[in-house]
């Protein structure tokens, strides 16, 4: 059986619902016929209602979720709200949230548990900063981020889990990690996962950080890379579509 590829757009805080709707209309007019690659769009919350409109052709994800189910939590969004909009995936622990919004390995582990226990699939983001890379701490950081993220899950059922390796220094810089570096770190991530009991969950590894139409085909051919998590290059229909076609 061919293992599917997954191409995820993380629109971050770009695009209001009019712009999101326009993008989705344009991309769904293109040939998205099954090429064993799942196309996933993660817009901001104001476009949640568009999920229902387009979800026969695309999959959707949210960029975050609350780990609490307490209705008295101003500004948060619950697992239940996302599920009711046919949201299939949730990004958890993106480095921008870790750096700027106090996301910690502990809160990531609580969100991972909530999403695992729901119908949705988590996209766990991990990655080292430039200082950590220069201090040769990458292995240690990835090990800690993954083990902590999985630590609260009671692996009762087998489901898909996505892990996006996004070196922080490669995000939004135009400078993707090199071939050998991605290969080595994907191998390491695989090894860390293999030493954790996951009840044979289907774990997919994505690469993120300055993926574009020029480097996509080289990166997708690296061992253990099942797809991408894409920021800037996912904002334009043509560049995102060109990447999708290479998977
Ligand atoms: P860029 O593709 O813009 O580097 O962003 C990557 C990212 O943060 C996806 O989550």
């Amino acid at each position: 059986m061919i293992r599917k590829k997954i191409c995820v757009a993380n629109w971050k805080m770009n695009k209001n619902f009019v712009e999101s709707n326009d993008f989705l209309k344009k991309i769904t007019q293109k040939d998205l016929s099954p090429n064993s690659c799942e196309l996933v769009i993660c817009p901001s919350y104001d476009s949640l209602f568009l999920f229902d409109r387009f979800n026969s052709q695309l999959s959707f994800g949210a960029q975050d979720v609350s780990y609490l189910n307490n209705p008295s939590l101003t500004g948060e969004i619950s697992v239940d709200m996302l599920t009711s909009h046919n949201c299939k995936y949730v990004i958890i622990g993106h480095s921008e949230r870790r750096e700027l919004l106090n996301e910690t390995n502990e809160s990531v582990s609580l969100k991972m548990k909530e999403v695992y226990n729901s119908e949705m699939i988590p996209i766990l983001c991990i990655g080292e900063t430039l200082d950590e890379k220069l201090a040769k701490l990458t292995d240690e950081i990835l090990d800690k981020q993954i083990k902590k993220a999985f630590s609260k899950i009671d692996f009762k059922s087998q489901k898909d889990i996505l892990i996006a390796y996004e070196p922080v220094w490669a995000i939004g810089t135009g400078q993707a990690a090199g071939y050998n570096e991605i290969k080595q770190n994907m191998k390491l991530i695989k090894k860390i996962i293999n030493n954790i009991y996951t009840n044979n969950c289907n774990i997919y590894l994505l690469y993120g950080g300055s993926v574009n139409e020029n480097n996509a085909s080289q990166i997708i051919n690296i061992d253990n890379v099942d797809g991408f998590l894409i920021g800037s290059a996912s904002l334009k229909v043509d560049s995102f579509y060109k990447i999708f076609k290479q998977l």
Side-chain angles (χ1 to χ4, degrees), residues 10 12 94 96 125 166 170-173 208-211 229-233:
N10 176 10
K12 308 187 179 184
H94 192 280
E96 287 151 9
C125 295
E166 300 202 301
I171 294 178
T173 58
S210 296
V211 174
L229 182 56
I230 309 172
S232 342

Side-chain angles (χ1 to χ4, degrees), residues 24-42:
L24 296 172
K25 268 203 317 217
K26 285 186 181 142
I27 198 138
T28 49
Q29 278 158 10
K30 292 189 177 285
D31 176 16
L32 301 176
S33 50
N35 66 351
S36 78
C37 176
E38 183 177 0
L39 205 49
V40 183
I41 309 285
C42 302

